[in-house]
Amino acid sequence: MAAAALVFAAGCSSGGGDDSGGRESPLDPGRSSRSPSGKPGADAPPEKGSAKVTRTLTKGLKSPWGLAALPDGDLLVSSRDEGTITRVDATSGKKTELGSVPGVSPGGEGGLMGLAISPTYASDHMVYAYFTTESDNRVARMLYDEKKPSGEQLGAPDTLFKGIPKGMIHNGGRIAFGPDKMLYAGTGETGDTGLAQDKKSLGGKILRLTADGEPAPGNPFGDSPVYSYGHRNVQGLAWDEQKRLWASEFGQDTWDELNEIKSGDNYGWPEVEGKAGEEGYHDPVAQWKTSEASPSGVAYAEGSVWMAGLRGERLWRVPVRGVTPAGKPQAFLKGEHGRLRTVLAAGGDKLWLVTSETDSRGTPEKGDDKILEVKVE
């Protein structure tokens, strides 16, 4: 099994790695870790970077979770607890509610979570969502008709994939289409640690599906949707320019993780947490004390992986050269905007960053929650 070359630890205090705390490829299984030029060290990002909030795009969001960009640049944001999807104008910040998603059953860390836009949106106008029901977590797609009145723009959900274990904690929830046009979904083990190592279970996995919800061709375990396993609670998914998949993950009491995901690899939970150096387990590229992170969304921009922290209340930058850090992780915006849920690349040196103070675990202030525009380097 592959293991990352370096692991960095940030911080020294311990705490639960759950989404808690108050305001405090098979694309190419043999892909090289070298830079695009083929030379180790070429095209590496600078060791030090920066992140500055340039404006607040919109305010007054309730329990925002998933974020996806439409082809024109406007944003769709899900409300975990209200089960609604809202469009946000990327210029003015104006909000328009598309509607509610039938069948969403919020509770604990479950509800309406990840969103993704169909790779063929121009022709099919489909929006994908990962959500919790009374019985499971599932993925569905809905037709988005912008011509209908506000609140009535979502078609009936077409369930594509169901049976993902649900719980009061660790429901996963992030979905994203990869460079291969396949749909990836991060799941959690619901607090039942045994699910993560069970390749027959859908809990504690990264799943790889077709756009119609079938196990994707080329998956590592035959006709199974499982792409990687041994995860505790995958919260973020993003790809770099070399089509490497990055994922963030809650630790328990010791280490939160940023992982580079390889098809078929075992990421260790619950046998190991953080860097173990044990044969058979894929070590994280970077790790943090749980009080410093409790990570959620990740994005890739300007040669670095950017990771939003819930309990840590900060935005982490991890400059990468191949699958090796090109410098120590840097923390930005510490404590300035509270809990940070989702980060999305917006092209060039811009990110969208979603706060998470109204999710019952924060201490909301006037205007929460928000979508912030961040300039990075």
Side-chain angles (χ1 to χ4, degrees):
M1 295 289 182
L6 294 176
V7 176
F8 289 100
C12 58
S13 57
S14 63
D18 300 299
D19 174 3
S20 61
R23 206 163 209 179
E24 350 180 80
S25 69
L27 295 174
D28 185 353
R31 183 176 297 280
S32 170
S33 296
R34 293 174 180 263
S35 66
S37 70
K39 298 178 181 179
D43 302 322
E47 182 177 350
K48 299 292 185 180
S50 65
K52 180 181 179 181
V53 174
T54 53
R55 64 171 172 146
T56 297
L57 175 63
T58 198
K59 300 179 180 180
L61 298 170
K62 302 303 179 186
S63 61
W65 210 101
L67 190 70
L70 292 165
D72 66 359
D74 284 359
L75 303 172
L76 297 184
V77 58
S78 64
S79 169
R80 187 193 70 185
D81 297 341
E82 296 186 350
T84 57
I85 299 176
T86 297
R87 180 171 182 154
V88 180
D89 186 292
T91 301
S92 68
K94 178 184 176 182
K95 294 177 289 186
T96 303
E97 186 175 305
L98 277 61
S100 299
V101 178
V104 173
S105 179
E109 294 175 6
L112 178 59
M113 294 178 282
L115 297 177
I117 304 301
S118 169
T120 53
Y121 181 84
S123 59
D124 62 31
H125 294 277
M126 287 291 179
V127 175
Y128 287 68
Y130 181 116
F131 58 91
T132 310
T133 72
E134 291 286 349
S135 60
D136 64 359
N137 286 295
R138 61 183 57 185
V139 177
R141 63 184 171 193
M142 295 155 284
L143 178 66
Y144 172 26
D145 187 347
E146 302 176 28
K147 297 179 181 179
K148 290 189 175 181
S150 174
E152 302 175 12
Q153 297 175 345
L154 285 178
D158 174 19
T159 299
L160 303 177
F161 192 83
K162 59 184 180 179
I164 301 169
K166 63 166 283 188
M168 290 301 291
I169 60 171
H170 302 177
N171 286 285
R174 197 70 63 180
I175 56 174
F177 280 96
D180 56 0
K181 310 302 183 187
M182 297 297 145
L183 182 65
Y184 292 73
T187 76
E189 34 76 305
T190 71
D192 181 353
T193 58
L195 299 184
Q197 290 293 319
D198 181 358
K199 285 180 280 189
K200 295 181 179 179
S201 170
L202 299 174
K205 308 295 188 295
I206 293 177
L207 310 178
R208 180 173 176 266
L209 308 166
T210 68
D212 294 324
E214 298 297 324
N219 279 359
F221 305 113
D223 189 26
S224 166
V226 173
Y227 187 68
S228 63
Y229 66 108
H231 299 288
R232 188 167 185 257
N233 191 27
V234 176
Q235 290 284 287
L237 300 169
W239 287 263
D240 63 22
E241 78 278 359
Q242 292 299 299
K243 302 181 181 179
R244 288 177 287 254
L245 173 58
W246 299 88
S248 60
E249 182 167 348
F250 282 156
Q252 185 173 31
D253 298 317
T254 310
W255 298 116
D256 290 327
E257 301 177 357
L258 175 67
N259 288 295
E260 187 247 351
I261 303 299
K262 288 290 189 182
S263 173
D265 276 12
N266 182 352
Y267 288 79
W269 180 256
E271 303 304 320
V272 297
E273 181 180 357
K275 177 178 170 62
E278 294 186 17
E279 184 177 357
Y281 300 125
H282 193 139
D283 279 349
V285 171
Q287 64 182 21
W288 293 262
K289 289 292 186 179
T290 54
S291 59
E292 302 288 322
S294 292
S296 191
V298 294
Y300 181 83
E302 299 295 289
S304 297
V305 178
W306 300 85
M307 188 178 80
L310 289 162
R311 187 173 176 222
E313 297 185 358
R314 66 202 75 180
L315 179 66
W316 284 100
R317 174 187 183 261
V318 183
V320 290
R321 180 177 58 241
V323 296
T324 301
K328 292 183 179 180
Q330 283 180 278
F332 298 99
L333 313 179
K334 181 179 177 182
E336 295 180 19
H337 301 281
R339 292 158 57 81
L340 303 178
R341 170 69 66 181
T342 297
V343 58
L344 180 70
D349 61 358
K350 189 171 80 172
L351 300 174
W352 296 117
L353 184 62
V354 181
T355 68
S356 190
E357 286 293 296
T358 59
D359 66 348
S360 79
R361 289 180 171 172
T363 53
E365 298 177 355
K366 185 178 180 180
D368 284 335
D369 271 307
K370 305 169 185 176
I371 298 177
L372 309 172
E373 182 181 275
V374 184
K375 182 178 180 181
V376 301
E377 63 179 24

